[in-house]
Each structure stands twice: as structure tokens, then as C-alpha cells.
Amino acid sequence: MRLIPCRKIREGMELARDVVTGPPGTAPLLRTGVLLSERYAKALPQVGIGSVWIEDDLGRDIDVVEPLTAETRERVHRATGDALDAARNALRNGAGLPDSVVASLAEVADALVADLLEIPEAALTLDDLGTFDAYTHRHSVQVAVLGLLIARRAWTREGWIDYRGRRRYDRFGDRMRKLGVGLLVHDVGKLAVPPEVLNKPARLTDDEMAVMRTHPEAGVELLRAADLSPLTVSVIRDHHERPDGTGYPNALKGTAIHEFARFAAVADVYDAVTSKRVYSGAVQPHVGVGIIRQGAGTQFCSEVVRHFRAVVMPYPVGHEVTLPDGRRGVVAAVDPLDPDRPTVRVPQGRGIEELQVDMTAPPAVLAEDPGRRAGGARVTR
Ligand SMILES: [Fe+2]
């Protein structure tokens, strides 16, 4: 299967995955196997769907792993939605968040972790959840999936450092659960930010930015009555702190920022820039990966970025890419050890050509010599 933007939908294309616009658990708008028609090219973007998975010759036998089972996805979305509703009520009534809400978040974080332990590294395709574009909790769930996958890699390979400076490999599940809960509600404090600031399509003024920057501490305040672990709280309070001290709310530096919050910062920024937001469009995965890579050591913890790069591929399988020679193709495979040189399928006459392409090569015009095609691309088959 492969992912195409809705504007490229043509008569008779076969849908490879359900299109869901409502909360998980509701009937899909379109079911897998349906033959699309061109009117969907216009109709789907109007309900918040930017792209769809289709099955055709170019995408044949390209398997894309779903990070979460449909059941877990439904549970996670419901629990996150309930938590946000409860926080909204708490804000209105000045009451705390009921313990039951926190307990159910911990339960779904466990389910999330159990699902994520099953998937291979570097198999992440965040567009798996892209059909929830129209759904408000999408960002929380995506950040949780991504942050947990980065943490899984870091902790299983290199363990974690306790307050005495000892490297440890125990309490993995417990830490994953606490991180998961924090990631699911990391932005809960945004409920306290006036909607006209939160949803402003233009650049924020200094005063508006100051209001926006209150959301981490507002989140901690909202959850104060809940019996949350200090590790979970660090995600909510410190996910906008930056190692070079330019973050907020406390301008913490380096390892003064808790590891949990350092995971959250990378997951939060990557998902934000690769998702469509009210104030800017989505960038391609390779641009998002580039932003994180460039920020290593200043905006983001270098160690976390190293693990992120092994988990998030700049050219994910099933995605369309533009080759350095300008042709368009579909990523068929990618080696996590060599992520900038994916194997790409390109329509060639009536057939399909498969090439390993160096995506870092400078853009070039199509050369006559087939061996030099694609500005450094190597024909492998
Ligand atoms: Fe935030």
C-alpha cells in the first residue's frame, strides 16, 4: 500500500485502509477495499482528511505496520478525551481531577506500551493515525506513541541513570507507563489558554506568547490534586524546556531537564511540525527529521535525538518522495542504518523501476547515462 494526498485520488483507486473521521469506535467514513472516485479528492479534505492509503501496482507488497491495534487506539483516544473533559470541568469548578480518570489513563498507557513493544524499531509511520486529522486528541496520542518508542529504544539498549548516577535496566514497564501518562496529557494546560490565542492563525504577539507559555504550569496546577508521579509531572511542566536554556517556564539547562521531558520535547516538536496546525501547514517527514537533527545539543538532548533518528525514518515506507532528479516515487523499503538512502519505486514507461536513492544528493537534471540517473541514484534492480 502507499499513501497519497487526496488531490491525487483518481477514479477507481482502491482504498487500502479505513478512513475514519469520528472518534475511534465509530463507523469509518470509507472502508478498506472501496473503489474511490474523483469527487473524494475534494470531499475528503473538507472533513479533515489530507491523505489516504491506496493499493495499486506501485504500492504492491509494501507493508506498513500499524503501531496500535484498533482496540488500543479506541481505548487511548477515549481515555485521553475523558481526561481532557475532566480537566475542563476541573478548570470551571476549581475542583481536582477525579482519581478514576488518572487510573484509566494509567491503564491505557499500559495498553499502549504493550502494543508498542510488539512493533519493530524504525517501523513507525505516524500517518497511521493520520485519519484522525479531524480529531482533537490526535496530537496527544501521536506524541505518546513517538515518545514511548524513543524511550523504549533508549532504555532497553542503554538503561536509565538514577539519582545516584547508577545505570539501571529495571522498572522498565513502570517508567514506560509513567512516561505514557505524561505524554498523553502533556498539553492539558492549554485548556486554560483562551481559544482566541490558542487557535490564532497568525503569529502571536509578545503578550499572547506570554499567555501561551503559561500552559505547562497551568497543566501541573490542573493535575495537582491527582496522585501523579513526579516523573509524569516533569513531562507536563518541562516539555518546552531546551538544553541551551532558551525554553520555558524555568529556562532549565542540559540534564537539569528531566529525561522524561527531554523525550517529550522531541516527540512534541516532531509531531507538531509534521501535522497540519491552525497557524502552519505540515512539513514532510524528512523536513521534520531535519529540524530535530539540527536542534541536537541546543534545542534537544543529543542522546534523545540519536535514538529518535533510529526510530523515525525521514523517508517512511509507503510515502511519496521527490527524487533528486525531480521524478516522483514511493518508498518501498528503508534501512534504519542508512535512512537517507531508501529504496524507491518509480513508474518507468509501462513498468516500475526500483532504485536505491541517495536523497542527500543535490538536485540534478535527468542524465542520459542510466547509471547516473537520479543524481547519484543507483539502479539496484
Ligand atoms: Fe506544550
Side-chain angles (χ1 to χ4, degrees), residues 139 186-187 190 215-216 236 239-240 248 268:
H139 176 64
H186 73 281
D187 264 347
K190 282 192 176 167
H215 83 267
I236 301 159
H239 67 274
H240 287 283
Y248 62 91
D268 183 27

Side-chain angles (χ1 to χ4, degrees), residues 283-321:
V283 301
Q284 298 280 316
H286 74 273
V287 178
V289 170
I291 289 169
I292 301 296
R293 225 188 251 187
Q294 272 183 358
T298 52
Q299 293 292 289
F300 311 110
C301 166
S302 307
E303 293 296 294
V304 174
V305 173
R306 184 163 56 81
H307 294 296
F308 163 86
R309 289 187 58 186
V311 169
V312 178
M313 296 297 105
Y315 305 99
V317 168
H319 280 232
E320 281 196 355
V321 287

Side-chain angles (χ1 to χ4, degrees), residues 13 16 77 147 157 176 197 270 272 282:
M13 279 182 170
H77 275 267
R157 286 168 181 249
M176 289 286 276
V197 174
Y270 179 77

